[in-house]
């Protein structure tokens, strides 16, 4: 992620009501609706930070050192408890022999991703290692975790190129190292993945970034193929709406795409689909569905995207948070109309400054 404003990493919390920034100057946490700063850790406390992960809206944060002036190593995950009095707010530390590439939290577990291995521990009291999963090279630390208490689904790249592994942490036996389910999602390596809030759907894109494929986590069958575009792109983020009616994605093309999942007839089809029989090369464009709506953000700035709260039955919103410090909110209708509702520079907002 870009360094223009000193932002090293951006993450939403589990219900996408907040986002946190890992920065050269520490950590900042923002509420989304309304947009306001909820808290920060300064560079004297934590140094420059490479990654930060929140747990819902509670007092615990997972930190990984990074950037130009780190206080903590990039091979350690530190748990910061902001509710503790005094200076000693670091309550847990997990240290490995290789850099930590990503961290995911849920109420009862912490997932730590290295380049070729994923660790699962109980959390936060007296952490115990439950699982260790080997993966193929995973330089982006791809991994997602369903936040639902009913379904503890963990997804990450499988051993085979382009494959996804799905593990139900409820049913897997502690100490086991093999994931029970594999989906052969793409022909080239995975570039981005996401699981919905309920743990029933998983979406993935390859490093080519032209297609997003949607799978049922029970049957492992492909449900739909969504086309972001025809030119290769690096996908930064895929996210589901809270009820899984829609999906959004962001990429280095500077476009945030919105797709319909519940009523896929809302998505656009290629004009060639009406022509009838076409050759095999063109056929792949005809079969996939194009986004029902899209909007642009600064192309040179990496961003994450998520769905906002529904204001009315027929109006939905998408939030894009960029590493250049900008915040974008667009509303869209099922017909594909998409309009900007809010724009702010979140890094310029002070504590509890409401816009």
């Amino acid at each position: 992620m870009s360094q223009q404003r000193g932002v090293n990493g951006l993450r939403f919390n589990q219900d996408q009501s907040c986002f946190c920034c890992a920065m050269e100057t520490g950590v900042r946490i923002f509420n989304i609706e309304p947009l306001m700063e909820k808290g920060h850790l300064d560079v004297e406390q934590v140094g420059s930070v490479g990654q930060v992960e929140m747990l819902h809206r509670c007092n615990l944060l997972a930190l990984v050192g990074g950037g130009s002036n780190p206080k903590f190593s990039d091979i350690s995950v530190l748990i910061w408890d902001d509710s503790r009095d005094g200076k000693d707010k670091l309550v847990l530390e997990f240290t490995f022999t290789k850099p930590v590439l990503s961290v995911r939290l849920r109420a009862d577990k912490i997932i730590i991703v290295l380049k070729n291995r994923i660790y699962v521990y109980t959390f936060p009291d007296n952490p115990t290692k439950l699982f260790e999963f080997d993966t193929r090279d995973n330089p982006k630390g791809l991994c997602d975790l369903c936040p639902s208490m009913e379904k503890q689904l963990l997804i990450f790249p499988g051993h085979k190129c382009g494959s996804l592994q799905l593990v139900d942490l409820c049913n897997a036996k502690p100490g086991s190292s093999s994931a029970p389910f594999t989906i052969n999602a793409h022909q080239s390596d995975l570039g981005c993945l996401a699981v919905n809030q309920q743990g029933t759907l998983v979406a993935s894109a390859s490093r080519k970034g032209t297609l997003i494929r949607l799978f049922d986590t029970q049957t492992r069958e492909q449900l739909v193929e969504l086309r972001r575009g025809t030119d290769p792109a690096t996908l930064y983020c895929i996210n589901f709406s809270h009820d899984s009616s829609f999906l959004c994605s962001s990429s280095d093309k500077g476009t945030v795409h919105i797709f319909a999942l519940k009523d896929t007839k809302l998505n656009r089809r290629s004009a060639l689909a009406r022509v009838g029989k076409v050759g095999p090369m063109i056929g792949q464009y005809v079969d996939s569905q194009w986004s029902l709506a899209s909007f642009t953000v600064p192309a040179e700035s990496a961003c994450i995207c998520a769905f906002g709260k529904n204001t009315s039955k027929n109006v939905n919103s998408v939030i894009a948070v960029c590493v250049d410090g900008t915040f974008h909110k667009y509303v869209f209708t099922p017909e594909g109309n998409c309009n900007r509702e809010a724009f702010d520079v979140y890094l310029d907002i002070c504590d509890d400054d409401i816009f």
Side-chain angles (χ1 to χ4, degrees):
M1 285 206 166
S2 139
Q3 295 277 315
Q4 294 161 300
R5 295 282 312 256
V7 177
N8 296 324
L10 289 169
R11 285 282 299 162
F12 290 109
N13 69 343
Q14 288 77 4
D15 68 355
Q16 289 123 36
S17 63
C18 296
F19 65 93
C20 48
C21 312
M23 303 190 67
E24 288 296 309
T25 52
V27 169
R28 292 181 73 179
I29 296 165
F30 295 87
N31 185 69
I32 290 178
E33 295 184 274
L35 182 63
M36 59 193 278
E37 186 174 39
K38 295 301 289 177
H40 61 265
L41 309 178
D42 60 35
V43 74
E44 286 75 31
Q45 293 171 289
V46 294
S48 60
V49 177
Q51 299 171 57
V52 59
E53 181 80 358
M54 299 173 70
L55 179 59
H56 296 286
R57 301 176 78 93
C58 84
N59 46 295
L60 297 176
L61 290 172
L63 309 173
V64 180
S68 58
N69 188 26
K71 190 173 181 179
F72 311 123
S73 166
D74 66 353
I75 63 168
S76 295
V77 178
L78 295 118
I79 304 301
W80 180 276
D81 184 348
D82 210 47
S83 67
R84 283 170 71 111
D85 294 329
K87 287 192 170 179
D88 194 21
K89 298 192 178 201
L90 288 171
V91 291
L92 285 173
E93 183 175 340
F94 301 82
T95 299
F96 303 89
T97 55
K98 292 185 176 154
V100 173
L101 300 178
S102 62
V103 182
R104 298 290 179 265
L105 295 174
R106 52 175 290 133
D108 55 354
K109 290 180 180 68
I110 180 168
I111 317 293
I112 297 167
V113 185
L114 311 187
K115 189 180 173 190
N116 294 102
R117 191 158 290 179
I118 293 179
Y119 295 92
V120 181
Y121 295 86
T122 58
F123 183 80
D125 303 322
N126 305 318
T128 310
K129 186 167 80 177
L130 294 174
F131 306 104
E132 225 177 281
F133 301 109
D134 287 330
T135 67
R136 65 186 283 109
D137 275 0
N138 183 14
K140 292 171 79 173
L142 297 178
C143 168
D144 205 9
L145 181 63
C146 173
S148 152
M149 288 317 287
E150 291 76 54
K151 195 149 190 175
Q152 300 191 21
L153 190 68
L154 175 68
I155 60 166
F156 52 90
H159 291 285
K160 190 179 162 205
C161 180
S163 71
L164 284 164
Q165 291 206 44
L166 283 65
V167 184
D168 185 341
L169 297 174
C170 282
N171 298 335
K173 291 182 174 62
S176 65
S177 60
S178 61
F181 302 126
T182 302
I183 293 173
N184 293 318
H186 302 273
Q187 287 173 332
S188 52
D189 273 312
L190 294 172
C192 201
L193 50 79
V195 64
N196 68 342
Q197 299 265 331
Q198 299 77 24
T200 55
L201 300 171
V202 57
S204 65
S206 74
R207 286 188 194 163
K208 209 169 144 192
T210 51
L211 295 171
I212 298 169
R213 293 192 171 123
L214 189 73
F215 299 91
D216 182 310
T217 60
Q218 268 324 105
T219 65
R220 306 195 290 288
E221 286 177 5
Q222 183 176 312
L223 300 174
V224 69
E225 185 176 85
L226 306 167
R227 182 165 286 281
R228 184 211 52 80
T230 52
D231 293 337
T234 300
L235 261 67
Y236 296 129
C237 181
I238 297 173
N239 240 322
F240 290 87
S241 64
H242 299 283
D243 64 355
S244 301
S245 292
F246 298 97
L247 178 140
C248 61
S249 70
S250 62
S251 74
D252 62 354
K253 297 287 187 192
T255 308
V256 175
H257 288 275
I258 302 157
F259 300 90
L261 300 183
K262 196 173 272 182
D263 183 2
T264 54
K265 291 193 291 294
L266 297 173
N267 292 326
R268 292 180 300 119
R269 299 292 199 283
S270 163
L272 290 167
R274 301 185 211 109
V275 174
K277 203 166 181 188
V278 289
M281 260 319 282
I282 302 174
Q284 59 186 335
Y285 293 110
V286 174
D287 294 340
S288 51
Q289 303 179 17
W290 299 67
S291 59
L292 98 110
S294 63
F295 61 89
T296 56
V297 294
E300 61 287 349
S301 181
C303 88
I304 56 173
C305 55
F307 289 86
K309 293 174 189 163
N310 282 11
T311 45
S312 73
K313 196 177 175 195
N314 285 324
V315 180
N316 298 275
S317 62
V318 171
I319 310 291
V321 182
C322 302
V323 294
D324 66 356
T326 59
F327 172 95
H328 311 256
K329 180 180 178 182
Y330 279 77
V331 293
F332 69 95
T333 64
E335 296 76 48
N337 298 322
C338 192
N339 296 296
R340 187 160 86 177
E341 187 173 84
F343 171 83
D344 272 305
V345 181
Y346 64 86
L347 289 179
D348 295 344
I349 293 174
C350 302
D351 256 355
D352 290 338
D353 217 355
I354 300 183
F355 278 77

